[in-house]
Amino acid sequence: VRLWRCRCRALLSRPAAAPRARRGLAAGPEMHFGFQTVTEEERREKIYQVFENVAKKYDVMNDSMTLGIHRVWKDILVHKMNPCPGTLLLDVAGGTGDIAFRFINYVRSVRQRQLQRKLKHHQNLSWQEIFESYQNDKFNSLGDSQVVVCDINREMLKVGKQKAQHLGYSEGLSWVLGNAEELPFDDDKFDVYTIAFGIRNVTRIDLALQEAYRVLKPGGRFLCLEFSHVSNPLLSRLYDLYSFQVIPVLGEVIAGDWRSYQYLVESIRQFPPQEELKAMIEDAGFFKVDYENLNFGIVAIHSGFKL
Amino acid sequence: VRCQQYAPLRALQASAALRGASDEHKKEPWASSSQQHFDSPPAGHQCEEKPQGPHPSYTGQGGQESEDYESEEQLQHRILTAALEFVPEHGWTAEAIAEGAKTLGLSVAAAGLFHSDGSELILHFVSECNSKLSELLKKEQKLVQLGEAEKKPIDEFLRDAVEARLRMLIPYIEKWPQALSVLLLPRNIPSSLNLLTSMIDDIWHYAGDQSTDFNWYTRRAVLTAIYNTTELVMMQDSSPGFEDTWRFLENRVADAMTMSSTATQVQSTGEAVVQGLMGAAVTVSNAGTSRAVR
């Protein structure tokens, strides 16, 4: 079902120089790419290349770098979301589909419980009615919930689709190529917008937040799972040690790509801390913005509502 | 530079559009409302620019409602009130809140504003019932003052007040044991206890209780015990019109009256309170399991 206008083609046809000219800048603003300084366009390209390179080994690297803890973080995100059947989720920078699959599992189990409760209440069903209700279950196991996975990187989406096929996820799942700074969707479409470990790679975070606000329905929720700043000094030193000494080495050994993982670690350090991100989310128009630190601030979940 | 003080008073553009359809005229409860109107025209103007397209049924009234801002608390209040309708079906859960949000035109994700165990919904309901009871008692008092009604004797007054308050539970009686167990969670005990004691105080206030000595504590404890035990009996009552419950209530109030005339008032009240609490703990666990099995 096509619920949204696809503006991807219009996006790609626009000349690259125009955005900069429109903003009235002379030679492109300076941005950070890890600890390097680059222009906006260069940054977008470099990040695209990073993820193109790591796409195939993305999940393996996640497991080895975080010792599997990233799975717990993502589980916590979906539990915090607590979606009920009928929810429309937009997972931006959702590449390999981790959040999408967890969402589908969660909604499926909630739906099961709902149906069980309904059956318990109907005490006087005939055998025919019971048989019919079991049949109907198959056709609405998700309760009309849907998740759209949007990513700017074709390679990541490819890996995600393959994973979905391999794990047997087909219902309620869509894959869309799109830029978080300019989403190819209509206004007021989604119940929940998530971006897990993706907003760090967005070049203009404020634009992404504005787009998030635009595509959410009134009452919709914005959730962002991202590496953040550790305030505890001892832990911070250990974390830095681990990040800069161990992770790039793992990157070279497992994925054969030290540079991309160096970028990853550096980009975590360059990302705004919890309070600053909270202020940016509020600026985009969200209400009740709050954050929850996981693992003492190594990761933080920011949440806001479009009210 | 964004002024932080404006943040909580910022208009909720979605609710501004939604309230265009409602007929009620809400009065701004804050003292700073005039300040707010003065300072936030830019924010308000920005809000009104947002197209009213997504809510076509509310166009034409948006302009009128532009002066009416709503805080987050008010919106949460409205969501919870709307959610009460779905409690008999879904219980005191985030699902009921999600359904309530849907009826207001908001996304189901708005249920994320609240705790997933439904505590806020229950506390909201309890405080609403308490307010309703207060109004009821105030009206009766006014009638008495105007001479249109007889002043009730104290035992009848207490009986009627407790009965009126407990009758408000009847539409939700199926799921009330669940609510009671949630209210007993350590996290919720300060709020639920607060609501309970303020309700009891209210009843005694309208009963004409002017005492400021230690009797005040005993009376509060006695009435709390009566209320709690009657509530628990009501959970398990299957008689038509809950007549067993009202008879139980009558007996307890009568006991309290005779108790107050004895010299060992304080001691027996303490015993009554302890017994009441013990009975409460046992009955809640039984009520919970029996309802769950059923």
Side-chain angles (χ1 to χ4, degrees), chain B residues 29-248:
Chain B
W30 320 304
S32 56
S33 58
S34 54
Q35 163 85 7
Q36 176 206 15
H37 288 176
F38 199 75
D39 286 342
S40 39
H45 180 66
Q46 199 178 4
C47 279
E48 284 315 304
E49 270 170 21
K50 184 81 169 82
Q52 303 275 322
H55 308 285
S57 51
Y58 307 129
T59 48
Q61 295 185 315
Q64 196 135 19
E65 296 295 317
S66 62
E67 296 305 303
D68 237 9
Y69 295 131
E70 188 178 57
S71 73
E72 283 170 33
E73 287 81 33
Q74 281 182 306
L75 181 67
Q76 287 182 311
H77 192 92
R78 279 199 306 140
I79 296 177
L80 291 177
T81 312
L84 285 177
E85 189 188 322
F86 299 94
V87 166
E89 189 190 335
H90 294 281
W92 303 92
T93 57
E95 274 171 31
I97 302 178
E99 293 289 320
K102 243 203 290 196
T103 58
L104 291 181
L106 295 173
S107 153
V108 289
L113 284 165
F114 310 98
H115 246 277
S116 53
D117 60 7
S119 312
E120 278 108 332
L121 183 58
I122 303 171
L123 290 170
H124 168 85
F125 172 68
V126 170
S127 96
E128 288 285 297
C129 287
N130 291 356
S131 321
K132 268 194 268 185
L133 180 69
S134 279
E135 276 178 36
L136 195 70
L137 294 177
K138 205 192 297 195
K139 253 194 288 188
E140 280 182 15
Q141 191 187 50
K142 220 172 265 179
L143 289 178
V144 168
Q145 280 174 349
L146 294 175
E148 290 174 19
E150 284 291 319
K151 185 162 165 62
K152 291 188 212 169
I154 193 77
D155 59 341
E156 199 186 318
F157 182 89
L158 293 179
R159 222 183 331 132
D160 285 345
V162 174
E163 185 179 330
R165 176 61 178 79
L166 287 175
R167 277 192 185 275
M168 298 182 200
L169 298 178
I170 292 179
Y172 308 98
I173 197 94
E174 283 280 311
K175 309 280 180 182
W176 192 245
Q178 176 199 357
L180 280 180
S181 57
V182 170
L183 285 176
L184 285 174
L185 289 173
R187 186 166 30 93
N188 295 326
I189 283 185
S191 334
S192 64
L193 210 55
N194 199 6
L195 286 169
L196 177 66
T197 50
S198 59
M199 178 203 26
I200 300 291
D201 281 347
D202 240 358
I203 298 180
W204 272 120
H205 169 76
Y206 286 106
D209 181 31
Q210 302 289 339
S211 62
T212 49
D213 56 354
F214 75 96
N215 273 330
W216 183 75
Y217 292 100
T218 32
R219 282 183 215 201
R220 211 198 215 190
V222 165
L223 189 55
T224 314
I226 295 176
Y227 178 84
N228 283 335
T229 45
T230 316
E231 189 179 26
L232 294 168
V233 166
M234 197 175 166
M235 296 297 106
Q236 306 206 357
D237 189 6
S238 47
S239 62
F242 295 97
E243 34 186 57
D244 285 350
T245 311
W246 310 136
R247 211 170 323 122
F248 176 87

Side-chain angles (χ1 to χ4, degrees), chain A residues 82 84 87 110 114 117 121 123 187-188 191-192 213 217-221 279 282-283 285-288 305-307, chain B residues 2 7 10-15 50 54-55 72 75-76 90 94-95 98 105-110 112-113 116 175:
Chain A
N82 194 16
C84 56
T87 303
V110 172
Q114 259 185 1
R117 244 195 316 203
H121 277 241
Q123 299 289 343
D187 299 358
D188 301 335
D191 292 304
V192 186
Y213 191 83
K217 281 190 211 165
R221 191 172 195 183
E282 279 172 347
D283 279 341
F286 290 100
F287 282 89
K288 250 203 156 218
F305 289 88
K306 175 178 177 173
L307 293 176
Chain B
R2 266 180 75 249
R10 233 188 321 169
L12 301 171
Q13 56 97 116
S15 52
K50 184 81 169 82
H55 308 285
E72 283 170 33
L75 181 67
Q76 287 182 311
H90 294 281
E95 274 171 31
L106 295 173
S107 153
V108 289
L113 284 165
S116 53
K175 309 280 180 182

Side-chain angles (χ1 to χ4, degrees), chain A residues 19 41 69 78 93 115 138 146 170 211 246 292:
Chain A
E41 277 308 311
I69 303 177
V78 176
L115 293 171
K138 271 222 193 102
Q146 278 187 55
S170 54
E211 280 292 284
V246 178
E292 185 187 333

Side-chain angles (χ1 to χ4, degrees), chain A residues 250-291:
Chain A
L250 278 179
E252 184 56 43
V253 166
I254 299 180
D257 188 355
W258 158 70
R259 216 69 83 65
S260 298
Y261 290 94
Q262 184 71 20
Y263 157 73
L264 180 125
V265 175
E266 289 174 359
S267 67
I268 294 175
R269 294 299 173 290
Q270 292 285 41
F271 190 66
Q274 286 89 327
E275 283 293 326
E276 212 178 298
L277 184 61
K278 175 175 169 191
M280 289 170 82
I281 298 174
E282 279 172 347
D283 279 341
F286 290 100
F287 282 89
K288 250 203 156 218
V289 181
D290 205 9
Y291 62 86

